[in-house]
Amino acid sequence: MSISSKNRSKIMNLLDPDEFRRQGHMIIDFLADYYENIEKYPVVSRVEPGYLSKCLPDSAPSDQESIETILHDIDQYIVPGLTHWQSPNFFAYFQTGFSIPGMLGEMLCSGFNVAGFNWFSSPAATELESLVMDWLGKLLDLPTSFLFSGHGGGVIQGNTCEAIICTLTSARDKILRRLGQDSITKLVVYGSDQTHCSFQKAARIVGIDPQNFRTIKTTWSTSFGLSPDSLRNVIYSDIDRGLIPLYLCATVGTTAITAVDPLTPLCKIANEFGMWVHVDAAYAGASCICPEYRKLINGVELADSFSFNAHKWLLTPLDCCCLWLKDPSALVKSLSTDPEYLKNEATDSKQVVDYKDWQLSLSRRFRALKLWLVLRSYGEHNLRNHIRNHCGLAKFFGELVVEDGRFEIAFPRHFAMICFRIHPSAVIDNMTIGHVLENRHGEAWKAEEVNRLNARLLEAVNASGRAFMTHALVGGIYAIRFCVGGALVTERHVAMAWKVVQEHANSVLASARHAKE
Amino acid sequence: MSISSKNRSKIMNLLDPDEFRRQGHMIIDFLADYYENIEKYPVVSRVEPGYLSKCLPDSAPSDQESIETILHDIDQYIVPGLTHWQSPNFFAYFQTGFSIPGMLGEMLCSGFNVAGFNWFSSPAATELESLVMDWLGKLLDLPTSFLFSGHGGGVIQGNTCEAIICTLTSARDKILRRLGQDSITKLVVYGSDQTHCSFQKAARIVGIDPQNFRTIKTTWSTSFGLSPDSLRNVIYSDIDRGLIPLYLCATVGTTAITAVDPLTPLCKIANEFGMWVHVDAAYAGASCICPEYRKLINGVELADSFSFNAHKWLLTPLDCCCLWLKDPSALVKSLSTDPEYLKNEATDSKQVVDYKDWQLSLSRRFRALKLWLVLRSYGEHNLRNHIRNHCGLAKFFGELVVEDGRFEIAFPRHFAMICFRIHPSAVIDNMTIGHVLENRHGEAWKAEEVNRLNARLLEAVNASGRAFMTHALVGGIYAIRFCVGGALVTERHVAMAWKVVQEHANSVLASARHAKE
C-alpha cells in the first residue's frame, strides 16, 4: 500500500539540506552586502503611502518563483521602503539591538524551530532560558530574590506590553481572589505622564476602568521623574473615594527623555498600600551591567517585577524583553493552562518550569539562544565597554551641541541619548533680525515659535537622508532626541550627524529670517 | 574633540560584514548538517530535569568566547536537550511550520531588524504585510469583507492567544462603551469543551469573570463539534440571569481531534444576539487553500474575525498567526496609542495602517517577509500539493491502522491527523487470555484498562526515540494522535512510524498478558 503515484510526483522537497545550504549562503551574502552598503541609502525611507501595491501583483503567483527573482524584488521594492534601523546614521527612537552573535542566535532559533511551551516539548529551550536569565540578572546585579537561584525567576517576553499585561493580570487576580470579581471596577493603576504608552494599553486590555488609570503629572522640579509626594496624594484621594490601589509602573529611562523615577521612595509608598510595583527599564536596563548606571535602579529590591528589552541596547535582535519576578507563582496562578493534550510526566513531577504559564501565548520561540550567544560572544567586560562606548559617543555629541552657541541641551543626559534644540535666544535673535511682530505676542508665542523651528530643523535633517532622529515634547519643550545605540555607529557618524544638524540649522534659521523680512 | 582614546581602544566591531559573512555561513552549514543528520537523534529529548545547569557555568563569562567554542557547546549540550520538531519522525502536537523560504524570510526579518510599529518607521514592513494578508486571504477564499480590498483587513500576530485577546478586548469595549464599565462583570463568552485553552486564558486576561466563561459540552452525536442547540440554550439561560452574551470562539480543527464546529448555524445564533464571533482555525486554516477543505469554513462570512497559524501547516517558522477582521476599526478603537514621540505626518494623514494599533505590543518584527517568501517560492499550485500530500500521508497511515485488526481509528479524520488506538477487543481478548478478574469489573473498568494500555503504548513508542506522537482524551477515549505536518516527512517515515507502533503494541500487549498470568 502506498499513496497514489499521482500525488507522489507532485511532492516537493521542502527542506533539501543542499538547497538549504546554497540559498542560506545566498541570504547571508545578501545581508553582508546590505550592511556594507547601508550608508548609501537614505536612512528614512522616501516612499509614499501605497507605493508597494503599485510594484507588486495583487495576488499570490500560481507557480513557484526562484529565490533569485525574489531577492531581486527585495532589492528593488522592499529595501527602498525600509527605514534602515541598522544604519549607523539611525539615531531615532531607541535602536533595535543587533550584533553578529545576536543574529546567529536568531538563525539557530528559527532553524531548530522548536515550540518550547513547556519543559517536555524541548527541555533545552526552557533550561537555557532559566539559566541565561539568571546569568543576565547577575550581570545587572539584580537582587537575588529575582533570580531562580533566590526563588524568583526570569522569563523572556516579546515586549514590555506583554510583560505588563502578565504582571498586571497577576496583581489584579491576587486582589480579586480576595475581594471578589466585582471589585475589578475599583482597581486603580498608577504611572506618570512620562510612563510608556504600553502601560495604559495594558491596563485597558486587562479590564481596568479607563477612569481608574492615573497619569501623574511630572515637572522640571523632579526632572520629570514621578514625585513620591504626588503619588501618595493621588493614592489617598483614591482610597477616600473607595477605590483600591493596585499597581504602580515606575520607569527608569523614560522613552521621551530618559527620565528616572526614584524607585526607593516610590516602592516604599506602594508597599505601604500593598500594591504591585513593576519597574520598566526597557531601554536603560542594559546599562545596569555598569556599576555607574546600576545605582539608578537602586530600590528595585523593593519592587515585585523588573523588565528591560535586550532587543534595545543589549545587542539582541527583536524580540527579547527580559522580565524577572520575585514571585513567579503569582504569574502561574493567573496564566496557567492544563489541557489534556499537553499533560506529561515532567509537568506532573513539578520539577520543571513550563514557560507557557509565565506568558500570554502557548507557543514560544527559543529566544534564549540569541541572548546566550550575545553574553558568551562578548563577555561581561566587552558588554560594559559597549554601553560605555555608546554613552561616550552621546557625551561627545553633547559637547558638540554645547560648543555651538545657537544650541542647548534640553534635558539632562542619563544614558546614551541627548535631547537638544536650537536655543530660544537664537530663535528670538533671528526673529528680531526679521523685525517680527515681537511686541504683539507674548512668551507663549515665542515658545511655540521655538518649538516650530526645531520641528522644522528635525524635518530637514531627516529629509536629507543622512541621519534620522526623532523628537520629544516634554514640559512644553520640543527637543530633538539623538540616541546612540546602533551596532555600526562610530565617532565619525556622530560627528557627521552633528554637521548635518548644523547645516540645516543654518538654512532653517535663514529661511525663517527670510520669511519674516 | 573626540571620545577618549582609552575608550576607543576598547571599541568592539559589532557588525563587521566580513565577519558576519564568515560566521553566518558557519551557522548555515551547522543547520544544514543538522537537517542531514536529524534522523540520528532520538526525536524526544532524553535529558532529565536540571541537566543543563550541570553542564554550563552559573554565570556569564568575563571575556569573549569564540563562535567555534559556542557551536561546540550547542552540539554538546543544547542539541541533546532538544525535542526535534523538524525531525521527519515528529508526529506530535501540531508541527511548527518550516521550509527553506520560510527560514530565509526569518533571516531577512532578523537581518533588517526593523521595528515596524507604524507605517513611518518602515513603510515596506507595513505595506508588505497588508499586501501579503490580502494574497493569503484570497488563497483561502476568505470573504472579500475580510480583505483590505473589501474594507476589512489582516494582520500578523504572534499566536492565537494574542489574536483572541485583541478581538475579545475590542468586542468587550464595544459593549462597555454603550453600557458602561460596570457591565464588565456581566459579560459572557462561549466555547466548547474542545476549544483551545488559549481562549479561556485570554478571557481571564481581559477581565471576564471566570464564572462567565462557558465551556459547552460536546458529544459523539456532533462528532465533538459545538452543537448550535446547546449554544442557544446556554445563551438563553445567561440572558435570563441578566448576563450579556459577548463573544463566541468557534473552532475549525480542534487541537485534540481536529473536530469542526458548524460555523453557519453557530454564527447565525451569535449574530441574533449581537455577539462577536471569532473563528479559530489555528491548524486547519492552511488547508482552506484547497477547495475540498475550504468548505469546512463555510459560514465564516457571518463571523467577525478569523485566524490561523501559518507557523503550523503553512511552511512558515514560528511565529506567524494570521488574523483577519471585517472591521479593523474596532481593534484600533481599543488598542490604539498616540504618544507624542511617535507622531508623524503619515499617521496624521490617515492614509496608512499603523499596525501597533492592531496588536498588543508596540514593537513588531517584519514577519510578512517570511510569509511572502513562502507564497512566492511555492505558488498556489505547490501549496495545494503540500496540503494534499500531508493529508494523503495521513490517509495512508489510517489505512495501515485499519489493516491491523488490533487497532481502530478513534475519531474521524478531517485533515492530516489520525487519532488511533488499540481496539478494546484486542485488550479484552488479551485480558481474557490472562484469565483476569473480568467478572468482578464492569465496562468502566474495561474502558480504563484500554486507555491505560494505549497510554503505555504511546509511552513506549516515544521512549524508543524513533517517533514522537502525543495523545488526546475525548469522550472518555484515550487516542494516540498521529499528525503529519513536517517539512521532511515522506511515506517512508510514515510507514516506519507504523512499524514502531506495531512492534511496541506487541510487547505492550504481551507484557500486560504476562502481568496477568
Side-chain angles (χ1 to χ4, degrees):
Chain A
M1 192 181 316
S2 78
I3 61 172
S4 77
S5 62
K6 185 170 151 267
N7 262 338
R8 189 200 297 265
S9 67
K10 290 182 192 159
I11 295 170
M12 300 170 289
N13 190 327
L14 302 171
L15 184 50
D16 175 66
D18 289 334
E19 200 49 34
F20 176 87
R21 215 181 288 267
R22 185 182 79 85
Q23 297 191 24
H25 286 176
M26 203 183 285
I27 298 293
I28 289 293
D29 290 337
F30 178 91
L31 285 171
D33 292 346
Y34 170 70
Y35 302 132
E36 234 155 32
N37 294 305
I38 199 163
E39 290 188 59
K40 293 183 187 155
Y41 304 110
V43 190
V44 180
S45 171
R46 287 173 170 164
V47 299
E48 295 289 323
Y51 88 101
L52 194 63
S53 59
K54 290 172 194 144
C55 310
L56 295 175
D58 63 3
S59 56
S62 307
D63 287 308
Q64 66 199 62
E65 299 185 86
S66 72
I67 184 66
E68 288 80 3
T69 310
I70 298 171
L71 273 180
H72 170 268
D73 285 359
I74 289 176
D75 208 43
Q76 198 80 8
Y77 306 124
I78 301 301
V79 172
L82 293 178
T83 287
H84 300 281
W85 283 68
Q86 300 320 311
S87 165
N89 302 315
F90 184 106
F91 302 100
Y93 311 113
F94 294 123
Q95 278 81 357
T96 49
F98 204 75
S99 64
I100 296 174
M103 174 69 186
L104 305 184
E106 265 294 350
M107 288 168 62
L108 290 167
C109 164
S110 303
F112 292 137
N113 201 29
V114 303
F117 36 76
N118 56 16
W119 182 90
F120 175 65
S121 71
S122 238
T126 297
E127 298 211 4
L128 189 66
E129 183 160 331
S130 299
L131 187 101
V132 83
M133 289 300 287
D134 259 21
W135 279 21
L136 189 50
K138 286 177 192 170
L139 283 180
L140 301 175
D141 194 19
L142 288 186
T144 321
S145 53
F146 283 91
L147 308 183
F148 284 102
S149 46
H151 305 292
V155 56
I156 301 179
Q157 304 266 336
N159 48 70
T160 309
C161 193
E162 286 175 31
I164 297 183
I165 293 175
C166 289
T167 50
L168 192 45
T169 300
S170 306
R172 182 200 68 190
D173 290 354
K174 222 168 153 175
I175 289 205
L176 295 185
R177 271 191 294 268
R178 198 154 43 84
L179 302 182
Q181 188 71 25
D182 287 352
S183 297
I184 189 170
T185 55
K186 291 189 194 151
L187 303 176
V188 192
V189 302
Y190 303 82
S192 85
D193 56 5
Q194 300 301 310
T195 306
H196 194 267
C197 61
S198 289
F199 180 42
Q200 186 154 10
K201 183 161 169 172
R204 216 156 55 188
I205 288 167
V206 308
I208 302 299
D209 187 336
Q211 293 186 22
N212 293 345
F213 183 84
R214 301 281 169 264
T215 304
I216 301 170
K217 200 171 151 44
T218 60
T219 63
W220 276 105
S221 70
T222 56
S223 304
F224 299 97
L226 176 55
S227 143
D229 287 343
S230 305
L231 175 66
R232 186 183 287 279
N233 291 338
V234 177
I235 292 176
Y236 277 149
S237 122
D238 284 329
I239 290 176
D240 282 350
R241 293 160 57 202
L243 299 174
I244 304 161
L246 172 66
Y247 187 102
L248 165 69
C249 179
T251 310
V252 176
T254 60
T255 306
I257 61 166
T258 69
V260 175
D261 290 341
L263 296 188
T264 305
L266 292 174
C267 287
K268 281 188 177 157
I269 294 170
N271 289 351
E272 248 177 71
F273 296 97
M275 292 161 64
W276 184 296
V277 184
H278 179 72
V279 176
D280 168 17
Y283 160 67
S287 71
C288 295
I289 58 176
C290 303
E292 66 271 31
Y293 298 108
R294 169 58 178 81
K295 61 183 182 222
L296 291 171
I297 64 161
N298 281 352
V300 68
E301 64 279 4
L302 303 170
D304 298 277
S305 50
F306 173 86
S307 68
F308 95 98
N309 294 339
H311 68 238
K312 283 198 164 69
W313 200 14
L314 206 66
L315 305 171
T316 311
L318 273 174
D319 44 4
C320 190
C321 169
C322 301
L323 167 68
W324 287 269
L325 304 109
K326 268 188 195 161
D327 177 17
S329 78
L331 224 59
V332 174
K333 268 182 209 142
S334 281
L335 303 177
S336 76
T337 51
D338 187 28
E340 177 63 35
Y341 44 82
L342 294 181
K343 286 199 191 299
N344 67 89
E345 218 177 284
T347 297
D348 292 345
S349 79
K350 298 194 175 161
Q351 282 180 32
V352 298
V353 167
D354 286 341
Y355 271 126
K356 71 179 174 59
D357 299 337
W358 294 48
Q359 64 171 16
L360 301 179
S361 58
L362 179 61
S363 298
R364 59 200 323 269
R365 300 166 69 236
F366 191 176
R367 289 182 287 218
L369 270 173
K370 57 185 169 184
L371 199 50
W372 188 52
L373 257 75
V374 165
L375 298 187
R376 291 190 64 175
S377 298
Y378 295 113
E380 192 175 357
H381 294 322
N382 284 313
L383 290 172
R384 283 195 186 137
N385 291 341
H386 147 67
I387 295 290
R388 286 169 182 157
N389 174 36
H390 282 182
C391 291
L393 288 173
K395 189 162 165 274
F396 166 54
F397 186 86
E399 286 159 3
L400 296 173
V401 170
V402 170
E403 256 196 354
D404 184 331
R406 298 172 303 171
F407 288 88
E408 69 166 359
I409 291 179
F411 301 100
R413 176 185 74 83
H414 296 293
F415 307 98
M417 190 175 76
I418 297 284
C419 293
F420 70 98
R421 63 168 182 165
I422 301 179
H423 196 281
S425 65
V427 180
I428 306 307
D429 286 357
N430 204 46
M431 284 156 57
T432 313
I433 292 167
H435 308 294
V436 223
L437 324 161
E438 205 180 352
N439 296 325
R440 283 208 268 137
H441 302 273
E443 285 303 312
W445 187 83
K446 274 187 220 159
E448 244 180 62
E449 184 64 16
V450 173
N451 285 353
R452 240 190 313 266
L453 212 74
N454 276 291
R456 228 172 297 151
L457 171 60
L458 176 60
E459 212 175 290
V461 166
N462 290 344
S464 79
R466 292 162 65 204
F468 180 27
M469 305 166 200
T470 48
H471 77 281
L473 181 61
V474 171
I477 287 181
Y478 182 105
I480 300 177
R481 293 166 81 263
F482 181 87
C483 185
V484 179
L488 289 164
V489 68
T490 68
E491 194 179 332
R492 172 171 71 81
H493 302 101
V494 171
M496 195 179 77
W498 177 243
K499 272 217 181 97
V500 173
V501 170
Q502 282 182 311
E503 280 170 31
H504 288 281
N506 291 339
S507 57
V508 163
L509 283 168
S511 80
R513 205 154 50 221
H514 187 74
K516 306 268 157 61
E517 273 167 5
Chain B
M1 192 181 316
S2 79
I3 60 173
S4 77
S5 62
K6 183 168 152 270
N7 262 338
R8 191 200 296 267
S9 67
K10 290 181 191 159
I11 296 170
M12 301 169 289
N13 190 328
L14 302 171
L15 184 50
D16 175 66
D18 288 334
E19 200 50 31
F20 176 87
R21 215 180 287 268
R22 184 182 79 86
Q23 297 192 24
H25 287 175
M26 203 183 284
I27 299 293
I28 289 294
D29 289 337
F30 178 91
L31 286 171
D33 292 347
Y34 170 70
Y35 302 132
E36 235 154 33
N37 295 305
I38 199 162
E39 290 187 59
K40 294 183 188 156
Y41 305 109
V43 190
V44 180
S45 172
R46 286 173 170 164
V47 300
E48 294 289 324
Y51 88 100
L52 193 63
S53 60
K54 290 171 194 145
C55 310
L56 295 175
D58 64 2
S59 55
S62 307
D63 288 307
Q64 65 199 61
E65 298 185 87
S66 72
I67 184 66
E68 288 80 2
T69 311
I70 298 170
L71 274 180
H72 170 268
D73 285 359
I74 289 176
D75 208 41
Q76 199 81 8
Y77 305 124
I78 302 300
V79 172
L82 293 178
T83 287
H84 300 281
W85 283 68
Q86 300 320 311
S87 165
N89 302 315
F90 183 106
F91 302 100
Y93 310 113
F94 293 123
Q95 279 79 358
T96 50
F98 204 74
S99 63
I100 295 174
M103 175 69 186
L104 304 184
E106 264 295 350
M107 288 168 64
L108 289 166
C109 165
S110 303
F112 292 138
N113 201 29
V114 302
F117 35 75
N118 57 16
W119 181 91
F120 176 65
S121 71
S122 239
T126 297
E127 297 211 3
L128 189 67
E129 184 160 332
S130 299
L131 187 100
V132 85
M133 289 301 285
D134 260 22
W135 280 22
L136 189 51
K138 287 176 192 172
L139 283 181
L140 301 175
D141 194 19
L142 287 186
T144 322
S145 53
F146 283 91
L147 308 183
F148 284 102
S149 47
H151 305 292
V155 56
I156 301 178
Q157 305 266 335
N159 48 71
T160 308
C161 193
E162 287 175 31
I164 296 183
I165 293 175
C166 288
T167 51
L168 192 45
T169 300
S170 306
R172 181 200 69 192
D173 290 353
K174 221 167 153 176
I175 288 205
L176 295 185
R177 270 191 296 268
R178 197 153 45 84
L179 302 181
Q181 188 71 26
D182 287 353
S183 297
I184 190 171
T185 54
K186 294 188 192 150
L187 302 177
V188 191
V189 302
Y190 302 84
S192 86
D193 56 4
Q194 299 301 310
T195 307
H196 193 265
C197 61
S198 289
F199 180 42
Q200 186 153 11
K201 183 160 170 174
R204 214 156 57 189
I205 288 167
V206 307
I208 302 300
D209 187 334
Q211 293 187 22
N212 293 344
F213 183 85
R214 300 282 169 264
T215 302
I216 301 169
K217 198 170 151 44
T218 59
T219 64
W220 277 104
S221 69
T222 57
S223 303
F224 299 97
L226 176 55
S227 141
D229 287 343
S230 305
L231 175 66
R232 187 184 288 279
N233 291 339
V234 178
I235 292 176
Y236 278 149
S237 123
D238 284 329
I239 290 176
D240 282 350
R241 293 160 58 203
L243 298 175
I244 305 162
L246 172 65
Y247 186 103
L248 165 69
C249 180
T251 309
V252 175
T254 61
T255 306
I257 60 164
T258 69
V260 175
D261 290 341
L263 295 190
T264 306
L266 292 174
C267 287
K268 281 187 178 158
I269 294 170
N271 289 351
E272 249 177 70
F273 296 97
M275 292 162 65
W276 183 296
V277 183
H278 178 74
V279 176
D280 169 17
Y283 160 66
S287 72
C288 295
I289 57 176
C290 302
E292 66 270 32
Y293 298 107
R294 169 60 178 79
K295 61 183 182 222
L296 291 171
I297 64 161
N298 281 352
V300 67
E301 65 279 4
L302 302 171
D304 297 277
S305 50
F306 173 86
S307 69
F308 95 98
N309 293 340
H311 68 238
K312 282 198 165 70
W313 200 15
L314 206 66
L315 306 171
T316 310
L318 272 176
D319 45 2
C320 189
C321 169
C322 301
L323 168 67
W324 288 268
L325 304 111
K326 269 189 194 161
D327 177 17
S329 77
L331 224 59
V332 174
K333 269 183 208 142
S334 280
L335 304 176
S336 76
T337 51
D338 187 28
E340 177 64 35
Y341 45 81
L342 293 182
K343 285 197 191 299
N344 68 88
E345 220 177 283
T347 298
D348 292 344
S349 79
K350 298 192 175 162
Q351 283 181 30
V352 297
V353 167
D354 286 340
Y355 271 125
K356 70 178 175 60
D357 299 337
W358 293 49
Q359 65 172 16
L360 300 179
S361 59
L362 180 59
S363 298
R364 62 201 319 272
R365 301 167 69 235
F366 191 175
R367 289 183 286 218
L369 270 173
K370 59 184 167 184
L371 198 48
W372 188 53
L373 258 75
V374 165
L375 298 188
R376 292 192 63 176
S377 298
Y378 295 112
E380 192 175 357
H381 293 323
N382 284 313
L383 291 172
R384 284 196 185 136
N385 290 341
H386 147 67
I387 295 292
R388 287 171 181 156
N389 174 37
H390 282 181
C391 291
L393 288 172
K395 189 162 165 274
F396 166 56
F397 186 86
E399 286 159 4
L400 297 172
V401 170
V402 171
E403 258 197 353
D404 184 330
R406 297 173 301 171
F407 289 88
E408 68 167 358
I409 292 180
F411 301 99
R413 176 186 73 85
H414 296 293
F415 308 99
M417 190 174 79
I418 297 284
C419 291
F420 70 99
R421 62 168 183 166
I422 301 179
H423 196 281
S425 66
V427 180
I428 305 306
D429 286 358
N430 205 46
M431 284 156 57
T432 313
I433 293 167
H435 310 294
V436 223
L437 325 162
E438 204 179 352
N439 296 325
R440 282 209 268 137
H441 300 274
E443 284 304 310
W445 185 84
K446 275 187 220 157
E448 244 180 62
E449 184 63 16
V450 174
N451 285 352
R452 239 191 313 267
L453 211 73
N454 277 290
R456 227 173 298 151
L457 171 60
L458 176 60
E459 212 174 290
V461 167
N462 291 343
S464 78
R466 291 162 66 203
F468 180 27
M469 305 166 200
T470 47
H471 76 281
L473 183 58
V474 171
I477 289 181
Y478 182 104
I480 301 178
R481 294 166 79 262
F482 180 86
C483 185
V484 178
L488 290 165
V489 68
T490 67
E491 194 180 332
R492 171 172 71 83
H493 302 100
V494 171
M496 195 178 77
W498 178 244
K499 273 217 181 97
V500 173
V501 170
Q502 283 182 311
E503 280 169 32
H504 288 282
N506 292 338
S507 59
V508 163
L509 283 167
S511 82
R513 209 156 44 223
H514 187 76
K516 307 266 156 62
E517 274 167 4

